[in-house]
Amino acid sequence: MSSPVIAWRAAISLWVNRNRKWILSGPAIAFIVLLLVIPLGYTLYLSFTDAGSSLRASFHFTGLGNYTNVLTDTRRFWPAVYRTVLFTVGAVSVEMLLGAAIALLLRREFRGQGIVRVIILMPLVATPVAVAMLWRLIFEPTIGFANEFLRFFGLPGSEWLSSPSTALPTLMFIDVWQWTPMVALLLLAGLTTVPEEPEEAARVDGANVFQRFWFVTLPLMRSVVFAALILRSVEAFKTFDILYATKGAGGGSMHEAETINIYAYGINFSDNRYGLASAVLVVFFIMVLVLVTLQIVARRRGQ
Amino acid sequence: MKRRSRYAAVSLTAALILSACSSGPSSSSGPSSSSGPSSSSSLSGQTINLSLSHHAWTTSLQTFIGDFTTETGIKVDVNVYDDAQQATLYNVKLNAGSSDIDVLMFRPLQNTQQFTQNGWFADLTKYVNASTDWNWNDFWQSARDSVTVNNKIIGVPLVSETGVLYYRKDLLAETGMPYPKTMDDLKAVVAKIHELHPDIFAFAGRGEVSAAVTQFSSFLYSMGGNWTDGKGNSTINSDAAKAAYKLYGGLIHDYGPPGETDMNWPQVMGLLQQGLVAFYPEASSNYDSAVDPTQSKVADQIGVGPIPAGPAGSKPYNITAMALGISAFSKHKDAAWAFIKWATNQANSLTIQEAGVPGARTSVWNDPKGTSTLAPDLLATIQGNSKIGVGYDRPQVVNVDQARQIVGAPIVAAIQGGDSNAVADQANSDFQALLDGQAK
């Protein structure tokens, strides 16, 4: 004879059991909706309006006007796209090459490898804004360490971050300095999962060190390489902190370091054109999705 | 499995770039209804949040800010921000109608029009009218004008600032020439110093596109130019303006340090302190940095003089650089006013001016105590400029940030030795578009 309370409890536990997948994933779903879907949706909504000056001011629906403005803007938007792509491709390719080289060096056991690993990982734990400030001091053209160092060896100094022609390459260098360790770390993790036998077999067959790496080791760690590549590309594509901390909003006096992200920040926070900034960000979002999709497709083709 | 991993990758990516995809806040809470001034006894125990700027005025006030709580029982929560941080903070907080900020320190020439248009300022007229003993009319007329919009008072002036020329007395003496009275004299003196000391930057100045605009303004006015004709038409490609761009940018190009287009005042001041700069046009309010013996190798050799005369005479900017206002969304407006009134009363204005921060109260300038701590050449230049100065140092539009980026472009071109005339023509049409858009 079950009491109503017990029956009620049984009903609840039955319901919980039946819906456990929703109940268990509920917090995660709520988190994604609140922090991802709603802001994204709101950004998309703003991108079709002429929201500006104050978000509390009234704004009107302008259809695709912002998108037309953005995609036909050859003075600020397309140069920013070009710089973003240049920065990403330049920095990430160097990071992948250097990262792979460091990972291969660290793969073998050697004395003092703990210290070497710690030193190599140091840039990774530094805060990007602090790093940017530090490099800004090092690269100061008149009294900075970099030019003092070059002059000591009788070499001419450079304007580094402060010249429109050398700012972006210098920023790529900073990005490489900061993020190569992470790539090396990921590839090293991948290398440790690669069995030794295929490589030894190749060595017996007379393959040299490059052939062994290219035809045997690399294909075996393809998934890790792709993971590192996707992660770094997306991160580099949307780099903000070092650019903003060294060159400020606008990316310098000639917009020499203005990537899409910095451009969007500028029109949003300096110009207060929220509609236009949202359109830039939506276009940017689509670009990143395309980038990732291409990489995933390439990866599946490779497999 | 593969499909799932692709979704995972895509959603991971979405998460990664979302940090770049937020367009400011969207929440809103209505402004609290403004009540009239109330007696201070009922305010005891309240806490007000102050958003102050990183400025010498703030540093001086902080040395005795505790007295306010002792006198009134109102607690203060002080936050100090640098320019860029504060601009972003106001943008986010005030856009969201957040009541977090009660008292806001702002730049009248940069923020007044925009904040007023957005409804971010509380109207202080009632409070000012009710505070007869505090003497609003003691503030300079031009300072009062800079914080009055459509006959509504939206702030209280704190700091006056004017364009001056910093120079090295020892290097000038070496040339045997007098202090430059005209722009041509300036060119001659600078060339002579460069000849004697090729390793010293005979003329340096702000070169970063937006930062340079304010100091360049003194050169623009002195050459007979201006941003607009006062009727909504841009005049930055007039012959006078083009000559000013060429003069200011050209001097920096010929004699300035490398990397000038990246320099705001802290960078140029750093070089001056290292003894590497001979002439440098900068705001009077940065005098302390130039003569601080703990930071400057040449502290005892720094002199200050007026901007040399161009075809239009010597026309430096002379402005109200800082003011205190109350956020329209503050829930403690009465307590916030009590603080502003206290911080800007005659006695405290005198204390702050004695610490070397030039204020905007007539009585303090007339009091020997208020001027005794200022260096004689600085005092003479400030007093001279107050008679001939122009009351704004940047274009007077709603969106000053955007305007500065536009009108600064020819400065950068001239510094780089480019065709600043062509850039000025392009900038003129950009600036005209901005003015037209604003007039709509």
Side-chain angles (χ1 to χ4, degrees), chain A residues 55 75 238 253 272 274 281, chain B residues 16 20 91 95 114 261 430:
Chain A
L55 277 178
R75 281 176 65 190
K238 65 187 195 69
S253 287
N272 300 108
Y274 309 119
L281 287 169
Chain B
L16 280 174
N91 233 325
N95 243 325
Q114 188 181 23
T261 58
D430 290 348

Side-chain angles (χ1 to χ4, degrees), chain B residues 111-191:
Chain B
N111 310 128
T112 299
Q113 291 201 35
Q114 188 181 23
F115 285 20
T116 306
Q117 183 180 300
N118 293 349
W120 290 350
F121 283 125
D123 182 0
L124 307 184
T125 316
K126 263 183 299 195
Y127 292 112
V128 168
N129 292 342
S131 312
T132 44
D133 54 330
W134 168 78
N135 197 359
W136 172 239
N137 290 329
D138 186 30
F139 291 91
W140 294 334
Q141 180 69 46
S142 63
R144 278 178 282 145
D145 291 346
S146 72
V147 290
T148 308
V149 189
N150 307 329
N151 297 323
K152 281 185 190 159
I153 298 165
I154 48 92
V156 175
L158 304 175
V159 183
S160 60
E161 201 171 88
T162 185
V164 301
L165 192 56
Y166 291 83
Y167 69 100
R168 281 273 299 279
K169 293 185 226 171
D170 52 339
L171 295 174
L172 179 64
E174 231 179 299
T175 63
M177 295 168 159
Y179 181 85
K181 281 202 166 54
T182 67
M183 291 294 181
D184 290 331
D185 295 348
L186 176 67
K187 282 187 202 167
V189 166
V190 165

